[in-house]
Amino acid sequence: MKRSTLIKHVGTLAILMFTFGVMAQNPPSPYVRYDSNVTAPDTTDYVTFKTGGTTMGYYALPDPVYHPTYVSTGTLTGGFVWNWTNPTHPGTAATFNKPGAANYVEITYPVAGAYVINVAEQAPAGFGSCADPSPTVMNVSVIAPPTFTISAPALGATCGDQAAQAISVAIVENVPANWAAYAFQVTEEIDEIDINDAVINNGTETVIHNYTTASKLKTLGGTSPNFTWSFNTAPLTVNNGHRTRYVYRFKKAADAPGAAAHGVISAITQKSDYILPGIANLNTYPFASGNAQVVINSGVAEITYIVNPVPSTGPIYHIPNQYAY
């Protein structure tokens, strides 16, 4: 019976994985066990493909007979090696780099597609040079980044108060629904403007939907890989008798790094940015316009509606009867 198993890297998704009792000291958090079946797993490790390839880190749990204090202290018995191989790949094999502990590996996936990763622990000559004849197996699916396409209706009329408008988002990411989760924010700004669009009363831009990298949007319509989400604007009311402009903006998550471009972060893209000792860069993926009502401005997706007051007709002026009397 095999005594060791593969521990996959799950980055910031560790809290979402199955719980296997109290998190052990080693392998370090946020690494958790990949699958309960080490030779015929039925789960998949999803990874977002990045230009030039995506690198992820993994640990293989050492055999407890040869490494009795590994879990508590991280100590490995010297001379043991872990042989990582990629017997199945989408045409270009993964590459392996072993920069740290002997049981740790960084795997670079050069193209999108399905990979099967094997790892076998091998003892040194002093212990007979034995190699595990039934390697531990992991299934990896390297997928395209999510697309996030925003659509909004044009107003049928702009004279007087108008009804709330439904803004919709089509999200495409080839993951099961239970892993589909997205970080971004939507803001609303309501301004009163004059006939030249100059601001008379400047409204405050407020966040109306706040999905952080910690919380994420997880309530979605559709089925994998095509997910949907929508919300209604406020009723488009003429304020104080002035032309009134409503602007809705999609921006990066409030807790995304300052240098990050505006765009969406998914649970899988965030996980795919993790490499020991943590996340150095958090990538965003651009918002896209689904119709003419949605304008992309410096990466921000903007939807603008203007409603106009009904003209109030003044009295009629005429040449008075007494003019020539």
Side-chain angles (χ1 to χ4, degrees), residues 103-219:
N103 63 326
Y104 174 73
V105 70
E106 291 179 357
I107 303 177
T108 299
Y109 303 102
V111 297
Y115 296 78
V116 175
I117 301 297
N118 287 0
V119 59
E121 182 175 352
Q122 183 173 4
F127 294 101
S129 300
C130 304
D132 188 345
S134 55
T136 293
V137 178
M138 178 175 64
N139 301 315
V140 179
S141 181
V142 181
I143 60 174
T147 60
F148 196 93
T149 304
I150 305 160
S151 299
L155 284 180
T158 62
C159 184
D161 296 347
Q162 302 296 317
Q165 303 295 304
I167 297 175
S168 61
V169 179
I171 306 167
V172 179
E173 189 177 32
N174 194 18
V175 294
N178 59 316
W179 294 127
Y182 303 93
F184 62 96
Q185 63 176 314
V186 182
T187 67
E188 176 188 68
E189 182 176 345
I190 305 173
D191 301 317
E192 296 172 23
I193 59 177
D194 67 13
I195 59 172
N196 297 309
D197 293 347
V199 175
I200 299 170
N201 291 316
N202 191 10
T204 301
E205 184 178 16
T206 59
V207 177
I208 59 172
H209 296 286
N210 186 27
Y211 298 110
T212 66
T213 60
S215 64
K216 294 191 178 70
L217 168 67
K218 298 169 186 173
T219 302

Side-chain angles (χ1 to χ4, degrees), residues 29 51 80 82 94 126 130 169 188 196 212 223 226 229 238 309:
S29 176
T51 301
F80 283 78
W82 282 262
C130 304
V169 179
E188 176 188 68
N196 297 309
T212 66
T223 57
N226 299 302
W229 179 72
V238 175

Side-chain angles (χ1 to χ4, degrees), residues 187-312:
T187 67
E188 176 188 68
E189 182 176 345
I190 305 173
D191 301 317
E192 296 172 23
I193 59 177
D194 67 13
I195 59 172
N196 297 309
D197 293 347
V199 175
I200 299 170
N201 291 316
N202 191 10
T204 301
E205 184 178 16
T206 59
V207 177
I208 59 172
H209 296 286
N210 186 27
Y211 298 110
T212 66
T213 60
S215 64
K216 294 191 178 70
L217 168 67
K218 298 169 186 173
T219 302
L220 300 161
T223 57
S224 180
N226 299 302
F227 304 102
T228 60
W229 179 72
S230 65
F231 72 95
N232 290 331
T233 68
L236 305 180
T237 304
V238 175
N239 290 340
N240 300 317
H242 295 138
R243 302 177 70 224
T244 307
R245 180 174 61 204
Y246 294 78
V247 182
Y248 294 87
R249 300 182 178 97
F250 285 75
K251 298 182 174 184
K252 66 184 178 182
D255 59 348
H262 286 289
V264 67
I265 298 168
S266 79
I268 297 303
T269 66
Q270 185 173 343
K271 164 206 165 160
S272 300
D273 287 332
Y274 188 101
I275 196 74
L276 283 177
I279 293 177
N281 298 295
L282 200 55
N283 290 292
T284 58
Y285 295 87
F287 302 124
S289 171
N291 59 17
Q293 192 64 44
V294 182
V295 176
I296 307 299
N297 184 10
S298 299
V300 175
E302 294 186 347
I303 300 99
T304 302
Y305 294 115
I306 297 176
V307 287
N308 302 288
V310 177
S312 178

